[in-house]
PDB file of all heavy atoms in Angstrom:
ATOM      1  N   ALA A 251       9.490  25.490  12.354  1.00 93.00           N
ATOM      2  CA  ALA A 251      10.900  25.325  11.998  1.00 93.00           C
ATOM      3  C   ALA A 251      11.609  24.378  12.954  1.00 93.00           C
ATOM      4  O   ALA A 251      12.420  23.533  12.540  1.00 93.00           O
ATOM      5  CB  ALA A 251      11.598  26.682  11.972  1.00 93.00           C
ATOM      6  N   ALA A 252      11.310  24.503  14.250  1.00 91.00           N
ATOM      7  CA  ALA A 252      11.962  23.644  15.239  1.00 91.00           C
ATOM      8  C   ALA A 252      11.577  22.185  15.041  1.00 91.00           C
ATOM      9  O   ALA A 252      12.426  21.281  15.125  1.00 91.00           O
ATOM     10  CB  ALA A 252      11.585  24.100  16.655  1.00 91.00           C
ATOM     11  N   ARG A 253      10.299  21.955  14.762  1.00 92.00           N
ATOM     12  CA  ARG A 253       9.867  20.565  14.562  1.00 92.00           C
ATOM     13  C   ARG A 253      10.474  19.971  13.293  1.00 92.00           C
ATOM     14  O   ARG A 253      10.863  18.798  13.265  1.00 92.00           O
ATOM     15  CB  ARG A 253       8.338  20.514  14.507  1.00 92.00           C
ATOM     16  CG  ARG A 253       7.643  20.881  15.819  1.00 92.00           C
ATOM     17  CD  ARG A 253       7.948  19.865  16.923  1.00 92.00           C
ATOM     18  NE  ARG A 253       7.477  18.539  16.585  1.00 92.00           N
ATOM     19  CZ  ARG A 253       6.233  18.093  16.785  1.00 92.00           C
ATOM     20  NH1 ARG A 253       5.333  18.889  17.327  1.00 92.00           N
ATOM     21  NH2 ARG A 253       5.897  16.860  16.452  1.00 92.00           N
ATOM     22  N   LEU A 254      10.544  20.772  12.245  1.00 94.00           N
ATOM     23  CA  LEU A 254      11.154  20.291  11.005  1.00 94.00           C
ATOM     24  C   LEU A 254      12.648  20.047  11.189  1.00 94.00           C
ATOM     25  O   LEU A 254      13.196  19.056  10.671  1.00 94.00           O
ATOM     26  CB  LEU A 254      10.911  21.293   9.876  1.00 94.00           C
ATOM     27  CG  LEU A 254       9.469  21.366   9.359  1.00 94.00           C
ATOM     28  CD1 LEU A 254       9.294  22.555   8.429  1.00 94.00           C
ATOM     29  CD2 LEU A 254       9.073  20.065   8.653  1.00 94.00           C
ATOM     30  N   ASP A 255      13.319  20.924  11.922  1.00 94.00           N
ATOM     31  CA  ASP A 255      14.750  20.724  12.195  1.00 94.00           C
ATOM     32  C   ASP A 255      14.983  19.425  12.963  1.00 94.00           C
ATOM     33  O   ASP A 255      15.970  18.717  12.721  1.00 94.00           O
ATOM     34  CB  ASP A 255      15.308  21.900  12.991  1.00 94.00           C
ATOM     35  CG  ASP A 255      15.479  23.155  12.139  1.00 94.00           C
ATOM     36  OD1 ASP A 255      15.458  23.023  10.898  1.00 94.00           O
ATOM     37  OD2 ASP A 255      15.609  24.254  12.717  1.00 94.00           O
ATOM     38  N   ALA A 256      14.073  19.119  13.888  1.00 92.00           N
ATOM     39  CA  ALA A 256      14.203  17.866  14.643  1.00 92.00           C
ATOM     40  C   ALA A 256      14.084  16.666  13.718  1.00 92.00           C
ATOM     41  O   ALA A 256      14.839  15.690  13.851  1.00 92.00           O
ATOM     42  CB  ALA A 256      13.143  17.810  15.740  1.00 92.00           C
ATOM     43  N   LEU A 257      13.149  16.730  12.768  1.00 89.00           N
ATOM     44  CA  LEU A 257      13.023  15.639  11.798  1.00 89.00           C
ATOM     45  C   LEU A 257      14.311  15.470  10.997  1.00 89.00           C
ATOM     46  O   LEU A 257      14.775  14.347  10.763  1.00 89.00           O
ATOM     47  CB  LEU A 257      11.867  15.915  10.835  1.00 89.00           C
ATOM     48  CG  LEU A 257      10.441  15.586  11.283  1.00 89.00           C
ATOM     49  CD1 LEU A 257       9.461  15.908  10.159  1.00 89.00           C
ATOM     50  CD2 LEU A 257      10.311  14.117  11.667  1.00 89.00           C
ATOM     51  N   LYS A 258      14.884  16.590  10.574  1.00 88.00           N
ATOM     52  CA  LYS A 258      16.114  16.522   9.773  1.00 88.00           C
ATOM     53  C   LYS A 258      17.272  15.970  10.588  1.00 88.00           C
ATOM     54  O   LYS A 258      18.060  15.164  10.092  1.00 88.00           O
ATOM     55  CB  LYS A 258      16.444  17.912   9.235  1.00 88.00           C
ATOM     56  CG  LYS A 258      15.433  18.414   8.213  1.00 88.00           C
ATOM     57  CD  LYS A 258      15.685  19.869   7.823  1.00 88.00           C
ATOM     58  CE  LYS A 258      14.629  20.365   6.853  1.00 88.00           C
ATOM     59  NZ  LYS A 258      14.777  21.796   6.511  1.00 88.00           N
ATOM     60  N   THR A 259      17.360  16.377  11.857  1.00 87.00           N
ATOM     61  CA  THR A 259      18.429  15.884  12.732  1.00 87.00           C
ATOM     62  C   THR A 259      18.322  14.375  12.926  1.00 87.00           C
ATOM     63  O   THR A 259      19.337  13.664  12.974  1.00 87.00           O
ATOM     64  CB  THR A 259      18.369  16.597  14.096  1.00 87.00           C
ATOM     65  OG1 THR A 259      18.545  18.005  13.889  1.00 87.00           O
ATOM     66  CG2 THR A 259      19.449  16.085  15.031  1.00 87.00           C
ATOM     67  N   GLU A 260      17.098  13.875  13.041  1.00 83.00           N
ATOM     68  CA  GLU A 260      16.871  12.444  13.244  1.00 83.00           C
ATOM     69  C   GLU A 260      16.975  11.644  11.949  1.00 83.00           C
ATOM     70  O   GLU A 260      16.883  10.409  11.975  1.00 83.00           O
ATOM     71  CB  GLU A 260      15.481  12.222  13.847  1.00 83.00           C
ATOM     72  CG  GLU A 260      15.315  12.796  15.250  1.00 83.00           C
ATOM     73  CD  GLU A 260      13.869  12.740  15.717  1.00 83.00           C
ATOM     74  OE1 GLU A 260      13.092  11.951  15.133  1.00 83.00           O
ATOM     75  OE2 GLU A 260      13.514  13.481  16.642  1.00 83.00           O
ATOM     76  N   GLY A 261      17.138  12.323  10.818  1.00 79.00           N
ATOM     77  CA  GLY A 261      17.212  11.627   9.541  1.00 79.00           C
ATOM     78  C   GLY A 261      15.864  11.168   9.032  1.00 79.00           C
ATOM     79  O   GLY A 261      15.788  10.284   8.173  1.00 79.00           O
ATOM     80  N   ARG A 262      14.783  11.780   9.536  1.00 83.00           N
ATOM     81  CA  ARG A 262      13.446  11.335   9.159  1.00 83.00           C
ATOM     82  C   ARG A 262      12.721  12.327   8.251  1.00 83.00           C
ATOM     83  O   ARG A 262      11.554  12.121   7.916  1.00 83.00           O
ATOM     84  CB  ARG A 262      12.599  11.100  10.413  1.00 83.00           C
ATOM     85  CG  ARG A 262      13.118  10.011  11.306  1.00 83.00           C
ATOM     86  CD  ARG A 262      12.072   9.558  12.305  1.00 83.00           C
ATOM     87  NE  ARG A 262      11.762  10.551  13.317  1.00 83.00           N
ATOM     88  CZ  ARG A 262      10.553  11.088  13.499  1.00 83.00           C
ATOM     89  NH1 ARG A 262       9.551  10.763  12.701  1.00 83.00           N
ATOM     90  NH2 ARG A 262      10.342  11.960  14.463  1.00 83.00           N
ATOM     91  N   TYR A 263      13.396  13.382   7.832  1.00 87.00           N
ATOM     92  CA  TYR A 263      12.775  14.376   6.968  1.00 87.00           C
ATOM     93  C   TYR A 263      12.615  13.790   5.570  1.00 87.00           C
ATOM     94  O   TYR A 263      13.564  13.262   4.988  1.00 87.00           O
ATOM     95  CB  TYR A 263      13.632  15.636   6.925  1.00 87.00           C
ATOM     96  CG  TYR A 263      13.064  16.749   6.090  1.00 87.00           C
ATOM     97  CD1 TYR A 263      11.986  17.503   6.541  1.00 87.00           C
ATOM     98  CD2 TYR A 263      13.613  17.043   4.848  1.00 87.00           C
ATOM     99  CE1 TYR A 263      11.470  18.532   5.775  1.00 87.00           C
ATOM    100  CE2 TYR A 263      13.104  18.072   4.076  1.00 87.00           C
ATOM    101  CZ  TYR A 263      12.029  18.809   4.540  1.00 87.00           C
ATOM    102  OH  TYR A 263      11.521  19.827   3.773  1.00 87.00           O
ATOM    103  N   ARG A 264      11.406  13.867   5.037  1.00 87.00           N
ATOM    104  CA  ARG A 264      11.126  13.255   3.742  1.00 87.00           C
ATOM    105  C   ARG A 264      11.460  14.221   2.603  1.00 87.00           C
ATOM    106  O   ARG A 264      11.051  15.376   2.617  1.00 87.00           O
ATOM    107  CB  ARG A 264       9.653  12.844   3.658  1.00 87.00           C
ATOM    108  CG  ARG A 264       9.301  11.653   4.529  1.00 87.00           C
ATOM    109  CD  ARG A 264       7.808  11.365   4.466  1.00 87.00           C
ATOM    110  NE  ARG A 264       7.471  10.087   5.079  1.00 87.00           N
ATOM    111  CZ  ARG A 264       7.249   9.912   6.375  1.00 87.00           C
ATOM    112  NH1 ARG A 264       7.339  10.949   7.192  1.00 87.00           N
ATOM    113  NH2 ARG A 264       6.939   8.726   6.860  1.00 87.00           N
ATOM    114  N   ASN A 581      19.759   2.036  10.242  1.00 91.00           N
ATOM    115  CA  ASN A 581      19.778   3.370  10.846  1.00 91.00           C
ATOM    116  C   ASN A 581      19.330   4.385   9.805  1.00 91.00           C
ATOM    117  O   ASN A 581      19.499   4.186   8.592  1.00 91.00           O
ATOM    118  CB  ASN A 581      21.149   3.719  11.411  1.00 91.00           C
ATOM    119  CG  ASN A 581      22.190   3.926  10.334  1.00 91.00           C
ATOM    120  OD1 ASN A 581      22.308   5.015   9.770  1.00 91.00           O
ATOM    121  ND2 ASN A 581      22.955   2.871  10.038  1.00 91.00           N
ATOM    122  N   ALA A 582      18.753   5.490  10.275  1.00 91.00           N
ATOM    123  CA  ALA A 582      18.128   6.458   9.376  1.00 91.00           C
ATOM    124  C   ALA A 582      19.148   7.157   8.480  1.00 91.00           C
ATOM    125  O   ALA A 582      18.916   7.326   7.271  1.00 91.00           O
ATOM    126  CB  ALA A 582      17.340   7.478  10.188  1.00 91.00           C
ATOM    127  N   ASP A 583      20.291   7.574   9.051  1.00 91.00           N
ATOM    128  CA  ASP A 583      21.292   8.273   8.245  1.00 91.00           C
ATOM    129  C   ASP A 583      21.840   7.375   7.138  1.00 91.00           C
ATOM    130  O   ASP A 583      21.977   7.800   5.988  1.00 91.00           O
ATOM    131  CB  ASP A 583      22.445   8.753   9.133  1.00 91.00           C
ATOM    132  CG  ASP A 583      22.072   9.977   9.949  1.00 91.00           C
ATOM    133  OD1 ASP A 583      21.115  10.673   9.551  1.00 91.00           O
ATOM    134  OD2 ASP A 583      22.734  10.239  10.977  1.00 91.00           O
ATOM    135  N   GLY A 584      22.163   6.144   7.496  1.00 93.00           N
ATOM    136  CA  GLY A 584      22.686   5.217   6.496  1.00 93.00           C
ATOM    137  C   GLY A 584      21.684   4.944   5.401  1.00 93.00           C
ATOM    138  O   GLY A 584      22.036   4.867   4.218  1.00 93.00           O
ATOM    139  N   ARG A 586      19.175   6.924   4.411  1.00 93.00           N
ATOM    140  CA  ARG A 586      19.029   8.115   3.574  1.00 93.00           C
ATOM    141  C   ARG A 586      20.245   8.295   2.658  1.00 93.00           C
ATOM    142  O   ARG A 586      20.108   8.605   1.467  1.00 93.00           O
ATOM    143  CB  ARG A 586      18.857   9.343   4.465  1.00 93.00           C
ATOM    144  CG  ARG A 586      18.520  10.612   3.700  1.00 93.00           C
ATOM    145  CD  ARG A 586      18.438  11.833   4.594  1.00 93.00           C
ATOM    146  NE  ARG A 586      19.743  12.210   5.136  1.00 93.00           N
ATOM    147  CZ  ARG A 586      20.125  12.023   6.383  1.00 93.00           C
ATOM    148  NH1 ARG A 586      19.315  11.448   7.254  1.00 93.00           N
ATOM    149  NH2 ARG A 586      21.325  12.403   6.789  1.00 93.00           N
ATOM    150  N   ASN A 587      21.432   8.080   3.186  1.00 94.00           N
ATOM    151  CA  ASN A 587      22.639   8.270   2.379  1.00 94.00           C
ATOM    152  C   ASN A 587      22.788   7.196   1.308  1.00 94.00           C
ATOM    153  O   ASN A 587      23.287   7.477   0.208  1.00 94.00           O
ATOM    154  CB  ASN A 587      23.873   8.299   3.285  1.00 94.00           C
ATOM    155  CG  ASN A 587      23.964   9.585   4.075  1.00 94.00           C
ATOM    156  OD1 ASN A 587      23.538  10.638   3.605  1.00 94.00           O
ATOM    157  ND2 ASN A 587      24.517   9.514   5.282  1.00 94.00           N
ATOM    158  N   ASN A 604      12.105   4.895   6.693  1.00 90.00           N
ATOM    159  CA  ASN A 604      12.567   5.182   8.049  1.00 90.00           C
ATOM    160  C   ASN A 604      11.402   5.223   9.026  1.00 90.00           C
ATOM    161  O   ASN A 604      10.235   5.123   8.637  1.00 90.00           O
ATOM    162  CB  ASN A 604      13.313   6.529   8.074  1.00 90.00           C
ATOM    163  CG  ASN A 604      14.637   6.483   7.333  1.00 90.00           C
ATOM    164  OD1 ASN A 604      15.248   5.434   7.222  1.00 90.00           O
ATOM    165  ND2 ASN A 604      15.076   7.615   6.814  1.00 90.00           N
ATOM    166  N   PHE A 605      11.714   5.395  10.307  1.00 88.00           N
ATOM    167  CA  PHE A 605      10.710   5.587  11.342  1.00 88.00           C
ATOM    168  C   PHE A 605       9.891   6.846  10.997  1.00 88.00           C
ATOM    169  O   PHE A 605      10.457   7.826  10.510  1.00 88.00           O
ATOM    170  CB  PHE A 605      11.403   5.766  12.699  1.00 88.00           C
ATOM    171  CG  PHE A 605      10.485   6.044  13.845  1.00 88.00           C
ATOM    172  CD1 PHE A 605       9.856   5.008  14.505  1.00 88.00           C
ATOM    173  CD2 PHE A 605      10.233   7.348  14.248  1.00 88.00           C
ATOM    174  CE1 PHE A 605       8.996   5.270  15.567  1.00 88.00           C
ATOM    175  CE2 PHE A 605       9.378   7.624  15.306  1.00 88.00           C
ATOM    176  CZ  PHE A 605       8.759   6.577  15.956  1.00 88.00           C
ATOM    177  N   ARG A 610      12.414   2.101  14.720  1.00 91.00           N
ATOM    178  CA  ARG A 610      13.813   2.526  14.724  1.00 91.00           C
ATOM    179  C   ARG A 610      14.727   1.299  14.796  1.00 91.00           C
ATOM    180  O   ARG A 610      14.454   0.346  15.515  1.00 91.00           O
ATOM    181  CB  ARG A 610      14.082   3.448  15.906  1.00 91.00           C
ATOM    182  CG  ARG A 610      13.525   4.864  15.729  1.00 91.00           C
ATOM    183  CD  ARG A 610      14.009   5.774  16.843  1.00 91.00           C
ATOM    184  NE  ARG A 610      13.615   7.170  16.627  1.00 91.00           N
ATOM    185  CZ  ARG A 610      12.480   7.702  17.063  1.00 91.00           C
ATOM    186  NH1 ARG A 610      11.623   6.961  17.773  1.00 91.00           N
ATOM    187  NH2 ARG A 610      12.199   8.972  16.817  1.00 91.00           N
ATOM    188  N   GLU A 613      15.433   0.441   9.739  1.00 94.00           N
ATOM    189  CA  GLU A 613      15.357   1.231   8.508  1.00 94.00           C
ATOM    190  C   GLU A 613      15.862   0.394   7.341  1.00 94.00           C
ATOM    191  O   GLU A 613      16.768  -0.426   7.479  1.00 94.00           O
ATOM    192  CB  GLU A 613      16.193   2.506   8.654  1.00 94.00           C
ATOM    193  CG  GLU A 613      15.623   3.515   9.647  1.00 94.00           C
ATOM    194  CD  GLU A 613      15.989   3.248  11.101  1.00 94.00           C
ATOM    195  OE1 GLU A 613      16.690   2.235  11.353  1.00 94.00           O
ATOM    196  OE2 GLU A 613      15.602   4.038  11.981  1.00 94.00           O
TER     197      GLU A 613
END
Side-chain angles (χ1 to χ4, degrees):
R253 294 295 298 275
L254 288 170
D255 286 344
L257 278 181
K258 293 173 183 176
T259 300
E260 295 171 19
R262 297 196 291 119
Y263 182 74
R264 289 176 169 85
N581 69 84
D583 284 339
R586 187 184 68 254
N587 287 328
N604 291 333
F605 177 84
R610 285 189 174 90
E613 291 84 359

